[in-house]
Amino acid sequence: MAGAQEPDPVTTVQQRLAQLADDDPQLAFTSLNHYLNLDWLLEAFHRTRKDGAPGVDGQTARDYEVNLRANLEDLLERVKSGRYRAPPVRRVHIPKGPGSDDTRPLGIPTFEDKLLQRAVLMILEPIFEQDFLPCSKGFRVGRSAHQALEELWQGLMDQKGGWVLDVDIRKFFDTLDRSHLREFVRQRIRDGVLLRLIDKWLNAGVCEEGSTTHPDSGTPQGGVLSPLLANIYLHYVLDEWWEQDMKPRLCGQAFLVRYADDLVIGCSDQSEAQGVLLSLSERLGQYGLAIHPQKTRLVHFEMPRQRRTGGAGEAKAKPGTFDFLGFSHYWGKSRKGNPVVKRKTANSRLTRVIRGFGEWIKRHRHLKIPEQHEKLSEKLRGHDNYYGLVGNYRWLEKVRQAVKRLWKKWLGRRSWHSYFDWTKFAELLGRFPLPAPRMVRS
């Protein structure tokens, strides 16, 4: 057909690898590194984020791009000859959410390391994607957090609530057992060059405050390849175990939804849910992982119904609630009065979001009002893109009201000699209105 666009070479190779992996689930690929050529690395460069923080060498994407072809040729030679040395990742601690006091460690590789990890990811991802199960939604092509939330909602509605295991794996990225991970990767990959590269990244070490350490376990959060390695690990440890071993033994309804290391298991029967929790703890323990005892809960999430109490009067059962991917899940009523699972922004997440807006407004109060308005509007629309689920309007509106109060507060402190009251602020909002809450998803 005239004008039809030919698929790029990288996509063609990925489709071929995916087809081979899908046709033979037992196939182990022994020769893959020949795809790592100059054109492949160039495509990896284009797919790598350019605005990330620099690693231990301080080199930015712009610095690397000055002599791009020469740099890629040198990188390719070092990889093929085995001389490539993975530099340690620079560790920083970032808030777990906007304005949060809690932090999580984040590893920042050098830009060249990100680029090479991206190139390897482009080879491995289409192969392992054929093995991953539908219950896994995190950091996968064509999957999203909203799909995980939708699958969870559907599962709860189908089994009318029941019992929910809200599972937290303690320090998953820090405690992941590398020897088991290598075994899992070798189920599909036998290419020596790629396996050595993965080993080098796992053993690269962590640089923090000028000191480099080499942990014996885990994979640093922040690496381009880390989400895929985590999914490979949990696919064999958890997903396959659930589908092939655990779930067939259950008499009642049950389902699993996982987004990276965040997971929820729903069971219609209480005793089976308790048994799943014990079996899950044993299973994870076999692979160096542990359930967080305080953050893991068994929640009675049965659909509310009328029940007799003492033979006189009626009372409503009060099912529990739980949080998943930033939303609190609870039972409510539809417009027709029928029980339905509803979602609202989790209180902890709401607090973080509002605090994050406040910090941004405080830091940028010197900007001109049109600039502040543009950025705040952009951030609010971004907030709605994730939290704009039907039924969550009230909490979106709470964010708006909090942003208005904070904006007025810090605008009033820009000039000590002017009194900035609500009347003046209302006039300003008339000229620069903040966007109304939007329900993006049903």
Side-chain angles (χ1 to χ4, degrees):
M1 179 178 177
Q5 187 175 0
E6 292 290 331
D8 66 87
V10 169
T11 301
T12 301
V13 170
Q14 290 178 324
Q15 290 173 345
R16 186 184 308 133
L17 293 175
Q19 189 62 56
L20 289 170
D22 188 49
D23 290 343
D24 186 355
Q26 305 303 317
L27 176 63
F29 293 79
T30 58
S31 179
L32 292 170
N33 73 85
H34 61 278
Y35 294 120
L36 286 175
N37 54 35
L38 194 60
D39 290 336
W40 194 275
L41 291 181
L42 187 61
E43 179 62 25
F45 170 81
H46 292 313
R47 296 189 185 189
T48 302
R49 283 185 56 184
K50 310 298 190 296
D51 57 350
V56 292
D57 62 355
Q59 187 179 50
T60 65
R62 182 172 295 181
D63 297 333
Y64 197 84
E65 191 174 11
V66 172
N67 296 303
L68 180 59
R69 188 174 185 86
N71 287 332
L72 293 180
E73 289 175 345
D74 177 64
L75 172 61
L76 187 61
E77 193 279 326
R78 282 180 284 136
V79 169
K80 297 290 186 173
S81 65
R83 293 190 303 107
Y84 180 79
R85 298 182 62 184
V89 298
R90 180 169 68 88
R91 172 170 286 175
V92 297
H93 294 268
I94 63 171
K96 288 189 174 181
S100 173
D101 294 329
D102 296 329
T103 62
R104 64 161 53 93
L106 178 68
I108 303 176
T110 64
F111 179 78
E112 183 176 70
D113 211 43
K114 292 178 188 176
L115 187 158
L116 184 56
Q117 287 192 40
R118 176 66 60 187
V120 172
L121 177 68
M122 287 157 51
I123 295 175
L124 301 185
E125 191 171 56
I127 296 173
F128 283 101
E129 269 296 321
Q130 311 316 306
D131 299 335
F132 293 158
L133 300 179
C135 61
S136 169
K137 294 291 189 287
F139 303 102
R140 294 181 57 194
V141 177
R143 270 75 172 183
S144 68
H146 288 106
Q147 289 181 349
L149 290 165
E150 175 62 22
E151 190 166 310
L152 173 59
W153 183 89
Q154 194 63 58
L156 293 171
M157 291 295 294
D158 288 346
Q159 69 179 28
K160 298 178 173 57
W163 295 80
V164 171
L165 276 174
D166 180 11
V167 181
D168 183 278
I169 301 177
R170 187 176 182 273
K171 295 184 177 179
F172 168 72
F173 284 93
D174 294 332
T175 57
L176 174 152
D177 186 284
R178 293 175 183 171
S179 60
H180 287 306
L181 175 60
R182 292 184 181 97
E183 292 176 11
F184 297 149
V185 172
R186 287 182 63 84
Q187 296 286 327
R188 278 298 203 177
I189 308 301
R190 302 287 175 82
D191 184 288
V193 172
L194 298 188
L195 291 176
R196 283 192 295 273
L197 280 175
I198 293 173
D199 269 346
K200 288 177 180 181
W201 285 319
L202 292 176
N203 297 317
V206 175
C207 180
E208 186 172 8
E209 297 180 351
S211 176
T212 300
T213 58
H214 293 82
D216 296 327
S217 60
T219 176
Q221 296 186 59
V224 175
L225 203 59
S226 291
L228 176 64
L229 296 179
N231 272 333
I232 292 171
Y233 200 86
L234 288 176
H235 167 75
Y236 288 103
V237 172
L238 180 62
D239 301 349
E240 279 197 343
W241 166 80
W242 170 258
E243 290 294 337
Q244 299 175 10
D245 185 26
M246 194 72 246
K247 189 176 177 181
R249 291 159 46 191
L250 304 177
C251 297
Q253 290 179 282
F255 65 90
L256 164 70
V257 179
R258 179 174 69 81
Y259 189 89
D261 60 327
D262 292 329
L263 63 123
V264 169
I265 297 175
C267 296
S268 58
D269 182 81
Q270 179 182 7
S271 60
E272 290 191 332
Q274 292 169 334
V276 168
L277 181 57
L278 290 174
S279 298
L280 177 62
S281 181
E282 293 175 2
R283 174 70 177 181
L284 294 179
Q286 294 172 8
Y287 294 91
L289 303 175
I291 288 176
H292 197 297
Q294 281 76 45
K295 295 181 180 180
T296 297
R297 301 186 304 140
L298 178 58
V299 180
H300 189 197
F301 200 72
E302 186 178 7
M303 180 183 290
R305 62 184 183 275
Q306 298 287 342
R307 66 180 181 184
R308 297 285 180 181
T309 57
E314 289 186 341
K316 291 183 178 180
K318 293 183 178 180
T321 66
F322 66 95
D323 295 349
F324 183 62
L325 298 181
F327 288 90
S328 291
H329 294 69
Y330 64 100
W331 281 101
K333 287 187 177 181
S334 68
R335 291 184 177 181
K336 295 182 179 180
N338 298 320
V340 64
V341 175
K342 293 191 172 185
R343 285 81 57 91
K344 67 178 183 178
T345 306
N347 289 336
S348 59
R349 192 67 65 91
L350 184 68
T351 301
R352 280 192 232 163
V353 167
I354 293 173
R355 192 183 301 173
F357 269 104
E359 290 178 355
W360 186 92
I361 294 170
K362 178 182 178 181
R363 290 197 308 270
H364 297 87
R365 64 185 185 274
H366 62 281
L367 296 177
K368 295 180 180 179
I369 288 178
E371 293 181 66
Q372 292 188 47
H373 172 258
E374 181 181 357
K375 291 293 185 182
L376 284 175
S377 298
E378 180 182 322
K379 293 170 78 67
L380 285 170
R381 283 191 289 266
H383 178 265
D384 290 355
N385 283 339
Y386 186 78
Y387 291 100
L389 296 182
V390 168
N392 199 35
Y393 184 93
R394 178 183 169 190
W395 281 263
L396 299 186
E397 183 60 32
K398 281 187 176 183
V399 171
R400 259 57 175 194
Q401 296 306 318
V403 169
K404 289 177 182 178
R405 290 193 299 270
L406 291 164
W407 200 16
K408 174 193 173 295
K409 169 184 173 181
W410 290 108
L411 285 177
R413 297 189 182 187
R414 296 210 310 178
S415 179
W416 62 269
H417 57 76
S418 63
Y419 179 65
F420 194 71
D421 59 13
W422 280 103
T423 301
K424 291 183 178 180
F425 185 63
E427 293 174 357
L428 183 143
L429 286 178
R431 291 182 288 125
F432 299 99
L434 295 175
R438 290 185 309 131
M439 298 295 102
V440 180
R441 294 174 175 85
S442 63

